[in-house]
Amino acid sequence: MSYEKIPYKTFLAESETPETWFNLKAFMRDGHEPFLNPATGKPSTEEELETVFCKECVKQELNCKDAEIEIPGGIKSFYRTFRPSPLVRAYFLEKVLDTPAQIYYKFEGSNTSGSHKLNSAVAQAYYAKQQGLTSITTETGAGQWGTALSMAAAFYGLELDVFMVKASARQKPYRKEVIRTFGARVAESPSDTTEAGRKILREYPETGGSLGCAISEAVEKAIKTPKCKYVLGSVLDHVLLHQSVIGVESKTALDKYGVYPDIIIGCAGGGSNLGGLIAPYMAERLQGKNKTEFIAVEPASCPSLTRGKYAYDYCDSAKITPLAKMYTLGCGFTPSPDHAGGLRYHGMSPIISKLYDGGYIRAVAAEQTKVFGAAVKFAKCEGILPAPESSHAIYAAIEEALKCRLTGEKKVILFGLTGTGYFDLAAYKQYNDGTLTDYIPSEKDLEKSLNSIPAQKKTQ
Amino acid sequence: MSYEKIPYKTFLAESETPETWFNLKAFMRDGHEPFLNPATGKPSTEEELETVFCKECVKQELNCKDAEIEIPGGIKSFYRTFRPSPLVRAYFLEKVLDTPAQIYYKFEGSNTSGSHKLNSAVAQAYYAKQQGLTSITTETGAGQWGTALSMAAAFYGLELDVFMVKASARQKPYRKEVIRTFGARVAESPSDTTEAGRKILREYPETGGSLGCAISEAVEKAIKTPKCKYVLGSVLDHVLLHQSVIGVESKTALDKYGVYPDIIIGCAGGGSNLGGLIAPYMAERLQGKNKTEFIAVEPASCPSLTRGKYAYDYCDSAKITPLAKMYTLGCGFTPSPDHAGGLRYHGMSPIISKLYDGGYIRAVAAEQTKVFGAAVKFAKCEGILPAPESSHAIYAAIEEALKCRLTGEKKVILFGLTGTGYFDLAAYKQYNDGTLTDYIPSEKDLEKSLNSIPAQKKTQ
């Protein structure tokens, strides 16, 4: 089939949608370094992890063996309400860029939560319900994850407490209302409802909060509440596993047309979208079956891959969680409140970190004014207002397509369009008004955070 | 095929999407009463209408003959970015309601403008560009139409001035930012940039504005600007024509499964969604081929069908536009600022009005607390946060499905889910906080507005 015969949008039929998630780790020799229990310095056991997380999620977290893991019927039926997501050929963007490249994007934003986060929220809420829990807790930064989880909790009938980074809650009051509309409780973090929150408030009464701090509060609340567990929206292996539906659907759709990507681009905060998108293609790369280039795009103001350390670090700021080996800016890192582009987490998925360390992924740090510029160009021709997070991938895709214009190469570019910008209009306003500024952390700031990484890392 | 085998969501392939719009008027004996020129009391001529509207739209407005009108390639290619929209079987809602009815909805909200309005915005902007215009003007109330038109204007390269009802602009600042992001200018109406606006400001300096007033401003601006025309997002026949893609796609999808609706429900403000959704089915009704029941749902606080008069009235408050024969609350009608549920226009599409007058449509007025209650129930099980406007249709669909539970009838219900509530979270907040109140206009208020309808109506 000629590339020009490909539809603008491809929706798989329900019969073509995945029956299984794709476990990339099964293709990574030796997986990645295990979680460490900071108290013992030894790998966290299944039992230890189950004090915080749902049982089935812990099983998936530790599964390095099965390439495919079945999606239960109770999850597939909820997936039906918002999946399959469209795979879009960006004909209009190609035309505007006058590029010989073929650009495709997998659009995960056409559900009410507005992002790909719902893929894992559904799975985690389902497993919590199956385990007999009555409530779950979580944190949310930009609010995409909190929204997604509130929808899933409402669907399966679970109570939900969301600790929302205060700066974000103030900047996006309507995100909070979506979450409340689905019946969940929202506390601005740091809050006075947890020890972790009260401690931060005593030390930094004016703080706008951070994801690391909100995680501490949510974990504490889960541990102290009967029949309650904590769920996390990114970083962890089981979250990437759930997000593999993005990659599997993309590959099924592209395979129909005999199209194979030369370049795959994803924005990277905690790494869940990127890990899910690349999963089936990266597995083939690890088996020497392709030469596809994988690009992670992160904000210059929260550059965990491009400027962080590959070391054991805590997943949260209060140092309650296990230690993970990952690229990190230090668990004390707080991005500038000027930063509007999302992707604010201090660390990076251990899977993505390992692949990056192995040279399988290239990382790019993008400044936010350029990212918003790419977003607006994209919106005007492709008719989708993208999330600032997703726009990092758009920015890199445009760069790669323009390179093709110079070289004449007809590369196939696939990128992940993770979500919409409906709740980021305050940031777009800054861009429209010309008041958006770039914030890039100084060496001194970075050094300070990185020095806070605990001693255990050095034993590895 | 058994009803249970129908997919949750049906997306037509691009090859199955409509090549033509469906002109319901061709099936209405004698069409409906013509526009009148208020200066002469005679039917408006094509030339007179072309002083305000684009030529091709005027042709479509006056076309009572052709049942099908071709969709130009330049419009179809933009439609590809956001159409086909999904036809959804509401399995989860059916289960929650424990009804034997089958419920389907056509979801028009999964595009960046968040509503069906984009279907006509694309067409009108395309025709304006083809005619050699350089700019267009419009008004917007809730903001859906302004957003849609800003996307279309950006795509085709037209300048755009949007007069946004002041109360709405203040309540939904982010709607305004979406419109600005797509490069259009937004003025809060009444503004001091037009005579109509200045006059209203002198008389009512504190007014929050109305759609009728914003229309006056936009029409005035278009008339006074070279190479500029005014475009309207509802009410007119050519808008309903463009919206017929909703009905045609719905019918194609349902026909695939041998499903024929017993009841079709749409919310009704100006009537464009309802008119588009019912078009192919109403044509068969008019030919005696079905007994389908058609229900228009309007807010109790702006009840043009249920409490208005069927009379000639102006489309705007400053009485600049031609007179249309329609159900109207009087062109001076301003809904209560307490009213959060959208659908605020004083009149109703002449096509819908004529069909309602002929007994082909039943009208229901819904109170907004009940409408929001239906919206939240729907969101929790179907995973879509609906626009308050669309939620009027959900409310009525739930009522009909519950009637089926009582009677045991297995009716097939189709309703139009016109958009999402992403920019209506201030209203949802009121609902969540329990501070949403119902506002229903008093007889005295209504009498006052209705008395302002011009004398010309009496000649008919």
Side-chain angles (χ1 to χ4, degrees):
Chain A
M1 182 176 301
S2 110
Y3 281 133
E4 277 56 49
K5 293 285 169 58
I6 292 165
Y8 285 76
K9 292 206 299 296
T10 300
F11 288 100
L12 300 177
E14 279 173 13
S15 56
E16 296 172 305
T17 57
E19 298 287 325
T20 54
W21 289 303
F22 190 93
N23 188 15
L24 177 55
K25 251 191 316 184
F27 298 88
M28 293 167 66
R29 208 170 5 173
D30 309 326
H32 61 72
E33 285 77 357
F35 288 109
L36 293 186
N37 180 333
T40 65
K42 289 185 184 158
S44 302
T45 63
E46 195 165 333
E47 291 68 33
E48 284 167 357
L49 292 172
E50 283 174 4
T51 60
V52 177
F53 300 108
C54 298
K55 280 186 183 181
E56 193 61 35
C57 294
V58 170
K59 269 209 190 77
Q60 293 176 346
E61 189 67 25
L62 300 175
N63 187 334
C64 300
K65 199 176 78 239
D66 301 316
E68 298 190 327
I69 293 175
E70 198 186 333
I71 307 174
I75 293 174
K76 270 191 293 191
S77 69
F78 191 174
Y79 274 5
R80 298 270 189 263
T81 66
F82 67 99
R83 305 206 66 79
S85 70
L87 179 87
V88 188
R89 172 77 184 266
Y91 282 116
F92 296 114
L93 182 62
E94 290 173 15
K95 200 171 163 194
V96 165
L97 300 176
D98 189 21
T99 176
Q102 290 104 41
I103 309 176
Y104 298 83
Y105 55 92
K106 181 72 167 167
F107 179 43
E108 292 289 317
S110 51
N111 67 67
T112 277
S113 79
S115 84
H116 69 293
K117 296 279 185 182
L118 194 52
N119 299 325
S120 187
V122 172
Q124 295 194 56
Y126 172 83
Y127 289 129
K129 187 72 182 179
Q130 290 298 103
Q131 193 179 328
L133 305 181
T134 52
S135 67
I136 49 180
T137 70
T138 199
E139 81 299 329
T140 197
Q144 292 181 339
W145 170 246
T147 312
L149 197 62
S150 72
M151 290 173 66
F155 187 84
Y156 293 114
L158 287 163
E159 285 188 55
L160 168 63
D161 284 284
V162 177
F163 291 87
M164 186 168 189
V165 176
K166 188 185 284 175
S168 178
R170 300 284 165 91
Q171 204 182 30
K172 304 183 183 186
Y174 294 153
R175 270 282 179 205
K176 191 171 151 182
E177 286 311 316
V178 188
I179 299 171
R180 288 182 70 210
T181 299
F182 282 95
R185 288 178 292 267
V186 184
E188 294 185 4
S189 169
S191 78
D192 60 4
T193 66
T194 67
E195 275 179 34
R198 287 189 294 269
K199 181 162 179 285
I200 296 269
L201 282 175
R202 277 195 304 273
E203 286 173 30
Y204 309 97
E206 299 304 318
T207 183
S210 70
L211 263 180
C213 167
I215 294 175
S216 301
E217 292 204 83
V219 171
E220 181 185 328
K221 169 101 186 173
I223 290 172
K224 292 181 174 170
T225 307
K227 293 199 176 189
C228 179
K229 297 287 171 195
Y230 165 72
V231 303
L232 182 65
S234 190
V235 182
L236 298 176
D237 297 0
H238 66 275
V239 183
L240 271 71
L241 175 73
H242 305 149
Q243 295 297 353
S244 69
V245 288
I246 305 173
V248 175
E249 277 187 12
S250 299
K251 190 162 187 313
T252 306
L254 286 175
D255 283 352
K256 280 172 90 160
Y257 307 113
V259 174
Y260 203 97
D262 299 302
I263 302 174
I264 303 181
I265 301 168
C267 60
S272 73
N273 151 68
L274 180 68
L277 174 68
I278 67 176
Y281 290 108
M282 180 58 87
E284 297 192 348
R285 176 88 168 81
L286 295 172
Q287 297 168 85
K289 292 182 184 170
N290 68 31
K291 291 186 172 179
T292 298
E293 190 180 2
F294 300 90
I295 304 176
V297 196
E298 59 184 13
S301 50
C302 191
S304 54
L305 289 174
T306 51
R307 299 177 73 199
K309 273 188 197 172
Y310 190 35
Y312 265 103
D313 192 10
Y314 291 96
C315 300
D316 70 321
S317 67
K319 305 185 177 181
I320 298 176
T321 61
L323 295 160
K325 178 90 180 273
M326 58 183 177
Y327 277 84
T328 177
L329 297 165
C331 67
F333 180 81
T334 302
S336 158
D338 288 349
H339 170 51
L343 310 172
R344 293 175 174 83
Y345 189 60
H346 68 274
M348 178 57 66
S349 140
I351 290 178
I352 297 293
S353 293
K354 178 88 175 188
L355 291 167
Y356 177 64
D357 191 53
Y360 294 101
I361 293 176
R362 179 156 68 85
V364 170
E367 289 164 32
Q368 63 179 354
T369 47
K370 290 182 183 170
V371 166
F372 276 85
V376 171
K377 183 183 280 295
F378 179 84
K380 286 184 177 174
C381 65
E382 288 287 322
I384 294 173
L385 185 77
E389 292 83 347
S390 325
S391 304
H392 288 74
I394 297 173
Y395 167 78
I398 289 176
E399 280 223 322
E400 294 301 319
L402 291 178
K403 280 187 209 163
C404 288
R405 185 166 80 186
L406 293 177
T407 62
E409 287 173 292
K410 293 183 174 184
K411 286 189 179 173
V412 174
I413 301 169
L414 167 66
F415 72 88
L417 189 70
T418 54
T420 61
Y422 299 137
F423 294 102
D424 303 284
L425 271 308
Y428 275 99
K429 182 175 193 311
Q430 288 180 276
Y431 180 80
N432 294 336
D433 292 344
T435 58
L436 193 72
T437 54
D438 284 301
Y439 172 81
I440 296 171
S442 68
E443 288 303 328
K444 209 176 127 199
D445 287 347
L446 276 178
E447 199 53 41
K448 205 175 137 197
S449 311
L450 293 170
N451 282 338
S452 74
I453 294 177
Q456 286 91 329
K457 74 175 195 292
K458 290 164 190 160
T459 67
Q460 289 296 306
Chain B
M1 181 177 299
S2 109
Y3 282 133
E4 278 55 50
K5 293 286 169 58
I6 291 165
Y8 286 76
K9 290 205 303 295
T10 300
F11 287 100
L12 299 177
E14 279 172 17
S15 57
E16 295 172 304
T17 57
E19 299 286 325
T20 54
W21 288 304
F22 190 93
N23 188 16
L24 177 55
K25 253 193 313 184
F27 299 87
M28 293 168 66
R29 210 168 2 171
D30 310 325
H32 60 72
E33 285 78 357
F35 287 109
L36 293 187
N37 180 333
T40 65
K42 289 185 183 160
S44 301
T45 64
E46 195 165 333
E47 291 68 34
E48 284 167 358
L49 291 172
E50 283 175 3
T51 60
V52 176
F53 301 109
C54 298
K55 281 184 183 182
E56 193 60 33
C57 294
V58 170
K59 268 209 191 79
Q60 294 175 348
E61 188 68 25
L62 300 176
N63 187 334
C64 298
K65 199 176 78 236
D66 302 316
E68 298 191 325
I69 293 176
E70 199 186 331
I71 307 175
I75 292 174
K76 270 191 293 191
S77 69
F78 191 174
Y79 274 4
R80 296 271 189 264
T81 65
F82 66 99
R83 305 206 67 80
S85 70
L87 180 87
V88 188
R89 171 78 184 266
Y91 282 115
F92 296 114
L93 182 63
E94 288 172 16
K95 200 171 165 193
V96 166
L97 300 176
D98 189 21
T99 176
Q102 292 102 41
I103 308 176
Y104 298 84
Y105 56 92
K106 181 71 168 167
F107 179 42
E108 292 290 315
S110 52
N111 68 67
T112 277
S113 78
S115 85
H116 70 293
K117 297 279 184 182
L118 195 52
N119 299 325
S120 186
V122 172
Q124 295 195 57
Y126 172 83
Y127 289 128
K129 187 71 182 180
Q130 290 298 106
Q131 193 179 328
L133 305 181
T134 52
S135 68
I136 48 180
T137 70
T138 200
E139 82 298 329
T140 197
Q144 292 181 338
W145 170 246
T147 312
L149 197 63
S150 73
M151 290 173 66
F155 187 84
Y156 293 114
L158 287 164
E159 287 188 52
L160 169 63
D161 284 283
V162 178
F163 291 86
M164 186 168 188
V165 175
K166 189 185 283 176
S168 178
R170 298 284 165 87
Q171 204 183 30
K172 304 182 181 185
Y174 294 153
R175 270 280 180 205
K176 190 171 151 180
E177 286 312 317
V178 188
I179 299 172
R180 287 182 70 209
T181 299
F182 282 96
R185 289 179 291 267
V186 184
E188 294 184 3
S189 170
S191 78
D192 60 4
T193 66
T194 66
E195 275 179 36
R198 287 189 294 268
K199 181 162 178 287
I200 296 269
L201 282 175
R202 277 196 304 273
E203 287 173 30
Y204 308 98
E206 299 302 319
T207 182
S210 71
L211 262 180
C213 167
I215 294 176
S216 300
E217 293 205 84
V219 171
E220 182 185 326
K221 168 100 185 175
I223 291 173
K224 291 182 175 170
T225 306
K227 293 198 174 188
C228 178
K229 296 288 171 198
Y230 165 72
V231 302
L232 182 66
S234 191
V235 181
L236 298 177
D237 296 1
H238 66 274
V239 183
L240 271 70
L241 175 73
H242 305 150
Q243 296 297 354
S244 69
V245 288
I246 305 172
V248 175
E249 277 186 14
S250 299
K251 190 162 187 314
T252 306
L254 286 175
D255 283 353
K256 280 172 89 161
Y257 306 112
V259 174
Y260 203 97
D262 299 303
I263 301 174
I264 303 181
I265 301 169
C267 59
S272 74
N273 151 68
L274 180 68
L277 174 68
I278 66 176
Y281 291 107
M282 179 59 85
E284 298 192 348
R285 176 87 168 81
L286 295 173
Q287 297 168 85
K289 293 183 183 170
N290 68 31
K291 292 185 174 179
T292 298
E293 190 181 3
F294 300 90
I295 304 176
V297 196
E298 58 184 13
S301 50
C302 190
S304 54
L305 288 174
T306 50
R307 300 178 74 201
K309 275 188 198 171
Y310 191 35
Y312 265 102
D313 192 10
Y314 292 96
C315 300
D316 70 321
S317 66
K319 306 186 177 180
I320 298 176
T321 60
L323 295 160
K325 178 91 181 273
M326 56 185 179
Y327 277 86
T328 177
L329 297 166
C331 66
F333 180 80
T334 301
S336 159
D338 289 350
H339 170 51
L343 311 172
R344 291 175 174 83
Y345 189 60
H346 68 274
M348 178 57 67
S349 141
I351 290 178
I352 297 295
S353 294
K354 177 89 176 185
L355 291 166
Y356 178 63
D357 191 54
Y360 294 102
I361 295 175
R362 179 157 68 86
V364 171
E367 288 164 33
Q368 63 179 353
T369 47
K370 290 182 184 168
V371 166
F372 276 86
V376 171
K377 183 182 279 295
F378 179 83
K380 285 183 178 173
C381 65
E382 287 287 321
I384 293 174
L385 185 77
E389 291 85 346
S390 325
S391 304
H392 288 74
I394 297 173
Y395 167 78
I398 289 176
E399 282 223 321
E400 294 301 321
L402 291 179
K403 280 187 210 164
C404 289
R405 186 168 78 188
L406 293 177
T407 62
E409 287 172 293
K410 294 185 173 183
K411 287 191 179 173
V412 174
I413 300 170
L414 168 65
F415 72 89
L417 189 71
T418 54
T420 61
Y422 298 137
F423 295 102
D424 302 285
L425 271 310
Y428 274 99
K429 182 175 193 313
Q430 288 180 275
Y431 180 81
N432 294 335
D433 293 344
T435 59
L436 193 72
T437 52
D438 284 302
Y439 173 81
I440 295 170
S442 69
E443 289 302 328
K444 208 176 126 200
D445 288 346
L446 276 179
E447 200 53 42
K448 204 174 136 199
S449 311
L450 293 170
N451 282 338
S452 74
I453 293 178
Q456 285 94 328
K457 74 173 195 293
K458 288 166 192 160
T459 68
Q460 288 297 305

